[in-house]
Amino acid sequence: MPGVEAEPDAACWERNAAFWIEMMRGGQDRYRAELTDLAVMRAIGEPAGQVILDAGCGEGYLSRELARLGAKTIGVDTSRTLIAAARASVATGDRMSFEVGDFRRLCELEIPVVDVVVANLSINDIADPTRAFEGFANALTPTGRLVMLMLHPCFYGTPAHSEAPTAGLETAEHTYFSTRRLVKHFEIAGRRSPSPSTRYVRPLARDLATLREAGFREITLTEPAPSPEQWADPWWRDYLRRPLFLLVEARPGGARRGVASAT
Ligand SMILES: C[S@@+](CC[C@H](N)C(=O)[O-])C[C@H]1O[C@@H](n2cnc3c(N)ncnc32)[C@H](O)[C@@H]1O
Protein backbone atom coordinates (compact mmCIF):
# COMPACT_ATOMS: atom_id res chain seq x y z
CA MET A 1 0.00 0.00 0.00
CA PRO A 2 2.15 2.90 -1.24
CA GLY A 3 2.42 5.91 1.05
CA VAL A 4 0.85 4.16 4.05
CA GLU A 5 3.14 3.25 6.88
CA ALA A 6 2.70 0.20 9.06
CA GLU A 7 -0.09 0.38 11.62
CA PRO A 8 1.04 1.29 15.09
CA ASP A 9 0.31 -1.10 17.92
CA ALA A 10 -2.53 -0.47 20.34
CA ALA A 11 -0.27 1.56 22.64
CA CYS A 12 -1.86 4.86 21.67
CA TRP A 13 -5.26 3.57 22.81
CA GLU A 14 -3.76 2.59 26.16
CA ARG A 15 -2.40 6.13 26.54
CA ASN A 16 -5.75 7.63 25.53
CA ALA A 17 -7.92 5.22 27.52
CA ALA A 18 -8.55 7.38 30.61
CA PHE A 19 -9.34 10.40 28.44
CA TRP A 20 -11.62 8.32 26.23
CA ILE A 21 -13.51 6.79 29.16
CA GLU A 22 -14.08 10.22 30.69
CA MET A 23 -15.28 11.70 27.40
CA MET A 24 -17.59 8.83 26.46
CA ARG A 25 -19.10 8.36 29.89
CA GLY A 26 -19.62 12.08 30.30
CA GLY A 27 -21.43 12.27 26.93
CA GLN A 28 -18.88 14.89 25.94
CA ASP A 29 -18.71 14.00 22.25
CA ARG A 30 -21.59 15.95 20.72
CA TYR A 31 -21.26 14.22 17.36
CA ARG A 32 -22.07 10.91 19.04
CA ALA A 33 -24.43 12.06 21.77
CA GLU A 34 -26.60 14.18 19.49
CA LEU A 35 -26.18 12.71 16.02
CA THR A 36 -24.40 9.48 15.20
CA ASP A 37 -25.57 7.35 18.13
CA LEU A 38 -29.16 8.02 17.09
CA ALA A 39 -28.36 7.04 13.50
CA VAL A 40 -26.61 3.84 14.60
CA MET A 41 -29.41 2.85 16.97
CA ARG A 42 -32.02 3.52 14.28
CA ALA A 43 -30.09 1.30 11.86
CA ILE A 44 -29.83 -1.51 14.41
CA GLY A 45 -33.56 -1.39 15.00
CA GLU A 46 -35.24 -3.09 17.94
CA PRO A 47 -32.37 -4.47 20.05
CA ALA A 48 -34.51 -6.77 22.21
CA GLY A 49 -33.80 -10.40 21.44
CA GLN A 50 -30.87 -9.70 19.11
CA VAL A 51 -27.33 -10.97 19.60
CA ILE A 52 -24.99 -8.12 18.70
CA LEU A 53 -21.24 -8.04 18.20
CA ASP A 54 -19.80 -4.61 19.08
CA ALA A 55 -16.57 -4.66 17.06
CA GLY A 56 -14.05 -2.24 18.53
CA CYS A 57 -16.34 -1.57 21.49
CA GLY A 58 -14.01 0.78 23.38
CA GLU A 59 -15.19 1.31 26.96
CA GLY A 60 -18.53 -0.24 26.03
CA TYR A 61 -21.13 2.52 26.07
CA LEU A 62 -22.95 1.26 22.99
CA SER A 63 -23.05 -2.33 24.29
CA ARG A 64 -24.48 -1.07 27.57
CA GLU A 65 -27.22 0.85 25.79
CA LEU A 66 -28.05 -2.11 23.53
CA ALA A 67 -28.14 -4.50 26.51
CA ARG A 68 -30.31 -2.08 28.46
CA LEU A 69 -32.78 -2.30 25.58
CA GLY A 70 -32.79 -6.09 25.63
CA ALA A 71 -29.94 -7.23 23.36
CA LYS A 72 -27.27 -9.74 24.25
CA THR A 73 -23.94 -8.14 23.37
CA ILE A 74 -20.36 -9.24 22.84
CA GLY A 75 -17.81 -6.43 22.80
CA VAL A 76 -14.38 -6.99 21.28
CA ASP A 77 -11.52 -4.52 21.49
CA THR A 78 -7.74 -4.69 21.33
CA SER A 79 -7.29 -2.29 24.25
CA ARG A 80 -6.90 -4.14 27.53
CA THR A 81 -7.56 -0.96 29.51
CA LEU A 82 -10.79 -0.18 27.67
CA ILE A 83 -12.01 -3.77 27.98
CA ALA A 84 -11.19 -3.75 31.70
CA ALA A 85 -13.22 -0.55 32.06
CA ALA A 86 -16.07 -2.06 30.05
CA ARG A 87 -16.10 -5.19 32.21
CA ALA A 88 -16.02 -3.14 35.39
CA SER A 89 -19.15 -1.31 34.23
CA VAL A 90 -21.16 -4.52 33.92
CA ALA A 91 -23.26 -5.90 36.74
CA THR A 92 -23.58 -9.63 37.32
CA GLY A 93 -26.38 -10.99 35.21
CA ASP A 94 -26.13 -8.30 32.53
CA ARG A 95 -26.34 -9.72 29.04
CA MET A 96 -22.94 -8.39 28.07
CA SER A 97 -19.51 -9.83 27.61
CA PHE A 98 -16.33 -8.00 26.70
CA GLU A 99 -13.28 -9.68 25.20
CA VAL A 100 -9.78 -8.47 24.41
CA GLY A 101 -9.29 -9.35 20.77
CA ASP A 102 -8.69 -8.19 17.23
CA PHE A 103 -11.80 -7.94 15.10
CA ARG A 104 -9.69 -9.00 12.11
CA ARG A 105 -9.20 -12.36 13.83
CA LEU A 106 -12.69 -13.16 15.05
CA CYS A 107 -12.21 -16.84 14.22
CA GLU A 108 -9.65 -17.00 17.06
CA LEU A 109 -12.30 -15.83 19.54
CA GLU A 110 -15.26 -17.86 20.66
CA ILE A 111 -17.88 -15.58 19.15
CA PRO A 112 -21.36 -17.02 18.63
CA VAL A 113 -23.26 -16.37 15.43
CA VAL A 114 -24.77 -12.90 15.74
CA ASP A 115 -27.75 -11.00 14.31
CA VAL A 116 -25.93 -7.68 14.03
CA VAL A 117 -22.32 -6.63 13.83
CA VAL A 118 -21.96 -3.00 14.82
CA ALA A 119 -18.66 -1.25 14.16
CA ASN A 120 -18.97 2.22 15.62
CA LEU A 121 -16.07 4.37 14.41
CA SER A 122 -13.62 1.51 14.75
CA ILE A 123 -12.99 0.45 11.13
CA ASN A 124 -10.87 3.55 10.46
CA ASP A 125 -8.35 2.31 13.02
CA ILE A 126 -7.08 -0.28 10.56
CA ALA A 127 -5.39 0.22 7.21
CA ASP A 128 -6.96 -2.72 5.40
CA PRO A 129 -10.48 -3.85 6.37
CA THR A 130 -10.48 -7.00 4.20
CA ARG A 131 -10.13 -9.54 7.00
CA ALA A 132 -12.44 -7.59 9.27
CA PHE A 133 -15.22 -7.55 6.67
CA GLU A 134 -14.74 -11.27 5.96
CA GLY A 135 -14.93 -12.01 9.67
CA PHE A 136 -18.03 -9.85 10.10
CA ALA A 137 -19.76 -11.65 7.20
CA ASN A 138 -18.88 -15.03 8.68
CA ALA A 139 -20.09 -14.04 12.14
CA LEU A 140 -23.55 -13.05 10.91
CA THR A 141 -26.62 -15.22 10.52
CA PRO A 142 -27.85 -15.34 6.88
CA THR A 143 -30.45 -12.72 7.78
CA GLY A 144 -28.02 -10.66 9.83
CA ARG A 145 -26.81 -7.13 9.23
CA LEU A 146 -23.66 -5.08 9.44
CA VAL A 147 -24.11 -1.56 10.83
CA MET A 148 -20.91 0.38 10.45
CA LEU A 149 -20.32 4.04 11.20
CA MET A 150 -17.12 5.31 9.67
CA LEU A 151 -15.35 8.55 8.96
CA HIS A 152 -16.70 9.88 5.68
CA PRO A 153 -14.02 9.03 3.16
CA CYS A 154 -15.05 11.80 0.78
CA PHE A 155 -14.82 14.59 3.30
CA TYR A 156 -12.85 13.58 6.37
CA GLY A 157 -9.21 14.50 5.93
CA THR A 158 -9.61 14.88 2.20
CA PRO A 159 -7.39 17.30 0.37
CA ALA A 160 -9.99 19.82 -0.71
CA HIS A 161 -9.58 21.83 -3.87
CA SER A 162 -8.22 25.31 -3.13
CA GLU A 163 -8.35 24.84 0.65
CA ALA A 164 -5.27 24.85 2.81
CA PRO A 165 -4.45 21.47 4.41
CA THR A 166 -5.77 20.96 7.91
CA ALA A 167 -2.98 20.45 10.44
CA GLY A 168 -2.41 16.80 11.19
CA LEU A 169 -4.99 15.62 8.71
CA GLU A 170 -3.38 16.16 5.38
CA THR A 171 0.03 16.07 3.85
CA ALA A 172 1.11 16.96 0.37
CA GLU A 173 1.31 13.36 -0.80
CA HIS A 174 -2.27 12.58 0.19
CA THR A 175 -4.83 12.25 -2.54
CA TYR A 176 -8.39 11.05 -2.19
CA PHE A 177 -7.48 8.01 -4.27
CA SER A 178 -4.93 6.65 -1.81
CA THR A 179 -5.39 5.18 1.63
CA ARG A 180 -4.77 8.17 3.85
CA ARG A 181 -3.06 7.75 7.18
CA LEU A 182 -4.23 10.51 9.48
CA VAL A 183 -2.43 11.20 12.72
CA LYS A 184 -4.29 13.55 14.98
CA HIS A 185 -5.14 14.10 18.63
CA PHE A 186 -8.81 13.72 19.56
CA GLU A 187 -10.25 17.14 20.39
CA ILE A 188 -13.45 16.66 22.39
CA ALA A 189 -15.29 19.36 24.34
CA GLY A 190 -12.22 21.58 24.32
CA ARG A 191 -9.97 18.80 25.62
CA ARG A 192 -7.14 17.16 23.74
CA SER A 193 -6.25 13.47 24.01
CA PRO A 194 -2.83 12.72 25.53
CA SER A 195 -1.71 10.77 22.49
CA PRO A 196 -2.36 11.32 18.81
CA SER A 197 -4.52 8.67 17.24
CA THR A 198 -3.83 7.07 13.88
CA ARG A 199 -6.69 6.49 11.52
CA TYR A 200 -6.95 5.32 7.94
CA VAL A 201 -9.37 6.60 5.35
CA ARG A 202 -9.76 4.78 2.06
CA PRO A 203 -11.55 5.77 -1.13
CA LEU A 204 -15.25 5.03 -0.81
CA ALA A 205 -15.36 2.80 -3.90
CA ARG A 206 -12.55 0.68 -2.50
CA ASP A 207 -14.30 0.05 0.83
CA LEU A 208 -17.53 -0.81 -0.99
CA ALA A 209 -15.66 -3.24 -3.26
CA THR A 210 -14.01 -4.84 -0.22
CA LEU A 211 -17.43 -5.26 1.42
CA ARG A 212 -18.79 -6.92 -1.71
CA GLU A 213 -15.76 -9.20 -2.02
CA ALA A 214 -16.37 -10.27 1.58
CA GLY A 215 -19.89 -11.31 0.54
CA PHE A 216 -21.93 -8.30 1.63
CA ARG A 217 -24.93 -7.26 -0.47
CA GLU A 218 -27.76 -4.72 -0.19
CA ILE A 219 -25.25 -2.10 0.87
CA THR A 220 -26.87 1.19 1.79
CA LEU A 221 -25.18 4.44 2.72
CA THR A 222 -26.52 7.21 4.93
CA GLU A 223 -24.93 10.51 5.83
CA PRO A 224 -26.11 11.41 9.35
CA ALA A 225 -27.10 15.08 9.23
CA PRO A 226 -28.24 17.55 11.87
CA SER A 227 -31.97 18.12 12.26
CA PRO A 228 -33.52 21.52 11.41
CA GLU A 229 -33.43 22.33 15.13
CA GLN A 230 -29.76 21.44 15.31
CA TRP A 231 -28.94 23.69 12.35
CA ALA A 232 -30.16 26.59 14.47
CA ASP A 233 -27.23 25.90 16.79
CA PRO A 234 -24.05 27.55 15.45
CA TRP A 235 -21.97 24.61 16.71
CA TRP A 236 -23.41 22.35 14.03
CA ARG A 237 -23.03 25.00 11.35
CA ASP A 238 -19.40 25.46 12.34
CA TYR A 239 -18.44 21.80 12.59
CA LEU A 240 -20.67 19.85 10.22
CA ARG A 241 -20.94 21.79 6.98
CA ARG A 242 -19.83 18.63 5.22
CA PRO A 243 -20.76 15.09 6.30
CA LEU A 244 -17.91 13.80 8.41
CA PHE A 245 -19.56 10.42 9.05
CA LEU A 246 -20.92 7.71 6.81
CA LEU A 247 -23.28 5.01 8.01
CA VAL A 248 -23.02 1.75 6.09
CA GLU A 249 -25.61 -1.00 6.37
CA ALA A 250 -25.14 -4.31 4.59
CA ARG A 251 -26.36 -7.88 4.55
CA PRO A 252 -24.27 -11.02 4.10
CA GLY A 253 -25.47 -12.11 0.68
CA GLY A 254 -24.14 -15.62 0.72
CA ALA A 255 -21.60 -15.12 -2.07
CA ARG A 256 -18.12 -15.19 -0.65
CA ARG A 257 -14.76 -13.99 -1.89
CA GLY A 258 -13.96 -15.28 -5.33
CA VAL A 259 -17.49 -16.52 -6.00
CA ALA A 260 -19.14 -14.93 -9.02
CA SER A 261 -22.33 -13.02 -8.25
CA ALA A 262 -25.04 -11.57 -10.43
CA THR A 263 -25.59 -8.53 -8.21
C1 LIG B 1 -12.60 5.51 17.96
S1 LIG B 1 -12.64 4.17 19.10
C2 LIG B 1 -14.36 3.75 19.10
C3 LIG B 1 -14.72 2.92 20.30
C4 LIG B 1 -16.21 2.62 20.44
N1 LIG B 1 -16.74 1.91 19.31
C5 LIG B 1 -16.94 3.92 20.65
O1 LIG B 1 -17.68 4.32 19.74
O2 LIG B 1 -16.75 4.54 21.71
C6 LIG B 1 -11.92 2.84 18.15
C7 LIG B 1 -11.78 1.56 18.97
O3 LIG B 1 -11.45 0.49 18.09
C8 LIG B 1 -10.51 -0.33 18.77
N2 LIG B 1 -9.79 -1.10 17.75
C9 LIG B 1 -8.97 -0.62 16.80
N3 LIG B 1 -8.52 -1.62 16.01
C10 LIG B 1 -9.08 -2.74 16.48
C11 LIG B 1 -9.01 -4.10 16.09
N4 LIG B 1 -8.27 -4.48 15.04
N5 LIG B 1 -9.71 -5.02 16.79
C12 LIG B 1 -10.46 -4.65 17.87
N6 LIG B 1 -10.57 -3.36 18.29
C13 LIG B 1 -9.88 -2.43 17.61
C14 LIG B 1 -9.65 0.63 19.55
O4 LIG B 1 -8.94 0.00 20.60
C15 LIG B 1 -10.70 1.62 20.03
O5 LIG B 1 -11.25 1.26 21.25
Side-chain angles (χ1 to χ4, degrees), residues 22-185:
E22 185 186 343
M23 291 296 118
M24 293 304 111
R25 295 193 178 170
Q28 296 292 319
D29 182 347
R30 290 191 64 180
Y31 291 122
R32 284 164 197 265
E34 299 174 38
L35 183 71
T36 62
D37 284 353
L38 299 172
V40 167
M41 292 301 284
R42 201 175 296 130
I44 290 172
E46 172 57 59
Q50 302 215 54
V51 181
I52 300 179
L53 172 64
D54 186 356
C57 61
E59 55 71 51
Y61 82 91
L62 193 60
S63 283
R64 284 192 296 279
E65 179 61 4
L66 291 165
R68 187 183 69 77
L69 295 169
K72 178 177 187 297
T73 64
I74 306 117
V76 172
D77 201 287
T78 37
S79 166
R80 292 186 179 280
T81 309
L82 290 173
I83 287 293
R87 283 182 180 151
S89 70
V90 175
T92 310
D94 284 349
R95 291 177 295 252
M96 285 176 271
S97 66
F98 293 103
E99 309 297 334
V100 175
D102 187 328
F103 57 58
R104 292 167 297 188
R105 299 195 188 92
L106 287 177
C107 55
E108 294 171 11
L109 305 170
E110 288 183 17
I111 304 287
V113 174
V114 299
D115 302 301
V116 177
V117 173
V118 59
N120 191 33
L121 290 172
S122 52
I123 205 70
N124 296 103
D125 274 40
I126 58 173
D128 180 355
T130 305
R131 287 167 67 198
F133 290 167
E134 289 170 355
F136 295 165
N138 285 329
L140 283 164
T141 64
T143 56
R145 285 176 308 120
L146 170 65
V147 174
M148 178 169 67
L149 184 76
M150 53 194 249
L151 300 174
H152 200 309
C154 304
F155 298 102
Y156 193 95
T158 305
H161 179 65
S162 77
E163 277 182 25
T166 307
L169 283 180
E170 299 168 9
T171 59
E173 69 273 17
H174 281 149
T175 75
Y176 170 80
F177 301 101
S178 60
T179 294
R180 286 157 280 149
R181 181 173 178 269
L182 313 174
V183 182
K184 190 177 183 296
H185 289 260

